[in-house]
Amino acid sequence: MGNQAGMDHDVTKIIHNHVLTIRKEVIAIIGGGISGLLACKYAISKGFDPIVFESESSIGGTPKPLYQFSDFPWPDSVTEVLPDQHTVLEYIESYARHFDLVRHIQFNNKVLSLSYEDDGGNGDSSISGEWMSNGKWNVTVQHTPTLSIKVYQVDYVVVCVGKFSQVPNIPEFPQNKGPEAFEGKMDSTAATDFVKGKHVAVVGFQKSGHGVLHRVERPCTVIIRTPHWNVPDYFPWGFPMAKLYLNRFSELTAHKPGEGLLLYLIATILSPLRWGFSKFVESYIKHKLGLSKHGDGRTFKLKKAKSFGFTKQGIVLEGQAEPIKSDLVILATGFKGIDKLKHIFESPKYQQLIAGSDDSAAVPLYRECIHPQIPQLAIIGFSESIANLYTSEIRCRWLAELLDGKFKLPSVKMMEKDIAEWDKYKKRYSKKYYRKSCIGALHIWHNDQLCKDMGWNPKRKKGLWAEWFEPYGLHRPNIRSAPNFPFLGFLFCVFTSSSPLFYRLKSVICHFSLKIKG
């Protein structure tokens, strides 16, 4: 086995004036983005000596503006409300240097595959069937500059590869109408540097597609299957949107996984109020943007089609003979995050557990962190919320406390029951979009569950009114047992398809969004 990255016994070490027991168990973290750095930091805090494998030559991650680590504030020199990408990356790199995380990262090392051996030498699963087992993971890693391959054997694996990179979602095209028929240029990324002075057609109208529209110089055509309008700001008719959707009272209007009879009745009674909130915001969006079903009439024209193909002059929509003449076609159609995640496993069984037999299910993770039937492995940063950095931070805290033995997992049967309840919730509010695995509409409820597992008090506001009606925003909580507890942010966050707002607006996405890794 290429490298047994472990120690024969526990040793002690002093870190930040605290005496820690350095554990012999080895943790491999895949991905050096936001989630990977957080997983590394909190593993170190519990005495582990993790290895972080990052396929690129530098730290990854470009989070949304106003992301802030709970124990590492932005420097006073950054005064912009929306710092640029370079400034954000500097902040992330300084975080990694401050907590001495860089020495744990092996750059230019791409993980090719994962395979599991139980303590009896068998693959696929542990003998006990429990998540906390005694097997080993074999991590096959390629050093990208030299193409050399090495196998590491570790005790735990934390997968932090994210979902918005590497594997683009390329549409299927009719026969003889694929990109090869097009004489212009086609790009599958947010190719904003190529749009100047060109007739552009954009396929897709969410994050990447919307970003391109701000940079086109000529009116362009946007091809969509379902309309998705973007929120112009977060104060509809002057009222803070956070007070509509990001407090405990707002979560009473939605049915929740594991709710009792009382909460069920409250959510049923308050469902018209949720509908009213959405109509209130929707009326503002229509007024502010002045959009029609055909676009805005100035910078882009909206065309709805189930499928399309290419011709020499551009693209042709299903049911139309006349092509849309284009110099450049940009496929802003997202990424196949689940494909990237499942193919990292050698075992067909694990691939099916992650993605389902027909690739139609959301990734089934208990607490959005672990799969009950895949031992000694966690997946952080894949399930979305209103602010992914904060959610990844508390999940990494939860995982570190679990590995430190501070609490025990329920039985596999109970975990699968909990997963099924969350899956029911996602399907109820997201319909066909539920594979996004977003828990944004119930981020407080989810957060409370993690707190209770760790023995923390989830109620962290002063006074009954503040606890129920003030947004859980950019405030450090008052939890004595958890001084570095990650606070949740609401500014410039994403309301994705699991939000009750989606019930009326289909999807609402912030203007200021950057690609996220991890």
Side-chain angles (χ1 to χ4, degrees):
M1 198 63 62
N3 183 25
Q4 178 71 36
M7 293 178 285
D8 294 330
H9 52 81
D10 293 351
V11 299
T12 59
K13 185 176 181 180
I14 298 177
I15 299 179
H16 298 304
N17 297 324
H18 294 284
V19 179
L20 294 178
T21 299
I22 303 302
R23 301 167 182 272
K24 64 182 180 180
E25 298 96 342
V26 180
I27 299 177
I29 300 171
I30 305 174
I34 290 296
S35 297
L37 293 176
L38 288 165
C40 179
K41 190 247 185 184
Y42 287 110
I44 294 171
S45 73
K46 296 299 182 182
F48 293 99
D49 189 23
I51 309 171
V52 181
F53 298 108
E54 169 55 47
S55 62
E56 303 296 333
S57 59
S58 62
I59 293 171
T62 53
K64 296 180 180 65
L66 291 187
Y67 265 29
Q68 178 173 297
F69 297 99
S70 67
D71 49 4
F72 192 73
W74 281 84
D76 295 336
S77 58
V78 179
T79 58
E80 304 95 324
V81 175
L82 297 173
D84 60 27
Q85 181 175 347
H86 177 71
T87 305
V88 172
L89 287 175
E90 283 185 345
Y91 170 66
I92 298 170
E93 290 169 354
S94 62
Y95 172 84
R97 291 192 299 269
H98 178 78
F99 290 105
D100 196 23
L101 306 181
V102 178
R103 68 183 178 88
H104 294 270
I105 305 174
Q106 297 191 15
F107 294 107
N108 296 313
N109 276 265
K110 181 180 181 181
V111 174
L112 301 179
S113 64
L114 297 172
S115 63
Y116 183 77
E117 294 180 6
D118 64 24
D119 49 6
N122 302 310
D124 279 1
S125 61
S126 64
I127 292 177
S128 65
E130 299 294 332
W131 189 88
M132 296 289 286
S133 300
N134 297 316
K136 299 285 185 180
W137 280 99
N138 298 320
V139 185
T140 303
V141 180
Q142 182 184 64
H143 184 241
T144 53
T146 62
L147 300 182
S148 61
I149 294 178
K150 198 172 187 178
V151 179
Y152 295 76
Q153 192 170 80
V154 302
D155 299 280
Y156 300 100
V157 173
V158 185
V159 181
C160 303
V161 296
K163 63 196 303 184
F164 300 120
S165 63
Q166 296 185 8
V167 184
N169 180 29
I170 305 297
E172 295 183 0
F173 303 104
Q175 189 174 5
N176 300 322
K177 291 186 178 181
E180 67 279 358
F182 181 44
E183 293 185 347
K185 294 182 179 180
M186 186 185 78
D187 199 283
S188 61
T189 64
T192 55
D193 294 334
F194 302 102
V195 301
K196 294 181 179 179
K198 293 183 173 65
H199 292 284
V200 180
V202 181
V203 182
F205 193 46
Q206 294 209 28
K207 297 177 186 177
S208 299
H210 190 262
V212 172
L213 293 180
H214 286 288
R215 293 166 174 82
V216 295
E217 297 176 349
R218 300 181 179 182
C220 70
T221 302
V222 179
I223 312 301
I224 62 169
R225 286 186 295 186
T226 305
H228 299 269
W229 301 121
N230 299 322
V231 175
D233 58 62
Y234 297 96
F235 294 88
W237 306 113
F239 190 82
M241 189 183 294
K243 291 192 175 184
L244 296 177
Y245 293 107
L246 300 181
N247 55 30
R248 288 191 182 276
F249 178 78
S250 70
E251 292 197 0
L252 288 178
T253 68
H255 290 285
K256 291 169 280 294
E259 65 184 1
L261 177 60
L262 178 60
L263 289 178
Y264 174 84
L265 292 174
I266 292 174
T268 302
I269 294 171
L270 294 181
S271 59
L273 185 60
R274 182 180 70 245
W275 177 88
F277 287 169
S278 297
K279 290 299 291 183
F280 175 75
V281 177
E282 182 180 352
S283 66
Y284 175 73
I285 293 174
K286 288 182 177 179
H287 169 77
K288 186 76 173 182
L289 297 181
L291 293 170
S292 72
K293 64 180 180 180
H294 302 295
D296 67 356
R298 299 182 302 274
T299 58
F300 68 94
K301 295 181 180 180
L302 209 57
K303 298 287 186 180
K304 187 176 180 180
K306 292 183 178 180
S307 63
F308 70 97
F310 285 89
T311 66
K312 291 182 178 181
Q313 295 80 20
I315 58 178
V316 58
L317 306 183
E318 181 186 31
Q320 297 185 12
E322 188 70 20
I324 299 172
K325 296 182 179 180
S326 309
D327 302 316
L328 175 69
V329 176
I330 297 178
L331 301 181
T333 49
F335 297 89
K336 293 183 177 180
I338 293 183
D339 279 6
K340 177 177 65 172
L341 184 62
K342 78 173 186 177
H343 288 303
I344 200 171
F345 296 97
E346 286 187 2
S347 165
K349 174 185 175 181
Y350 288 165
Q351 290 182 6
Q352 183 171 336
L353 289 173
I354 289 294
S357 58
D358 58 355
D359 287 352
S360 63
V363 178
L365 301 177
Y366 177 71
R367 297 295 193 251
E368 303 297 331
C369 293
I370 64 174
H371 193 292
Q373 296 187 44
I374 303 181
Q376 300 161 247
L377 180 136
I379 299 172
I380 305 291
F382 194 83
S383 173
E384 298 177 65
S385 71
I386 64 167
N388 291 340
L389 185 150
Y390 306 117
T391 307
S392 288
E393 187 163 359
I394 189 173
R395 289 171 182 167
C396 288
R397 292 292 300 268
W398 181 88
L399 179 62
E401 296 292 325
L402 172 64
L403 297 180
D404 194 37
K406 291 300 183 353
F407 67 94
K408 294 183 178 181
L409 293 172
S411 66
V412 171
K413 184 177 180 180
M414 291 300 296
M415 287 192 285
E416 289 178 340
K417 180 181 177 182
D418 184 83
I419 292 171
E421 290 175 346
W422 275 95
D423 194 59
K424 181 180 178 181
Y425 150 74
K426 294 172 188 175
K427 289 178 178 178
R428 178 171 190 155
Y429 289 108
S430 302
K431 304 294 189 292
K432 62 181 179 180
Y433 298 97
Y434 91 107
R435 289 190 76 201
K436 290 180 178 289
S437 297
C438 179
I439 52 89
L442 294 181
H443 75 280
I444 300 175
W445 182 261
H446 171 72
N447 186 69
D448 288 352
Q449 290 183 328
L450 298 176
C451 288
K452 292 174 182 177
D453 288 346
M454 294 182 284
W456 298 354
N457 178 13
K459 303 293 179 64
R460 56 188 189 276
K461 287 187 178 294
K462 295 181 179 180
L464 186 63
W465 177 269
E467 184 64 45
W468 282 98
F469 295 100
E470 288 299 318
Y472 266 81
L474 300 176
H475 305 284
R476 183 178 296 278
N478 182 20
I479 300 181
R480 286 175 292 180
S481 62
N484 293 326
F485 176 81
F487 46 87
L488 293 172
F490 66 85
L491 291 177
F492 306 104
C493 62
V494 178
F495 288 85
T496 52
S497 56
S498 290
S499 170
L501 185 61
F502 184 86
Y503 186 75
R504 293 296 305 169
L505 300 182
K506 299 296 184 184
S507 180
V508 182
I509 302 171
C510 65
H511 267 293
F512 308 102
S513 60
L514 302 172
K515 188 183 294 183
I516 301 172
K517 181 179 180 182

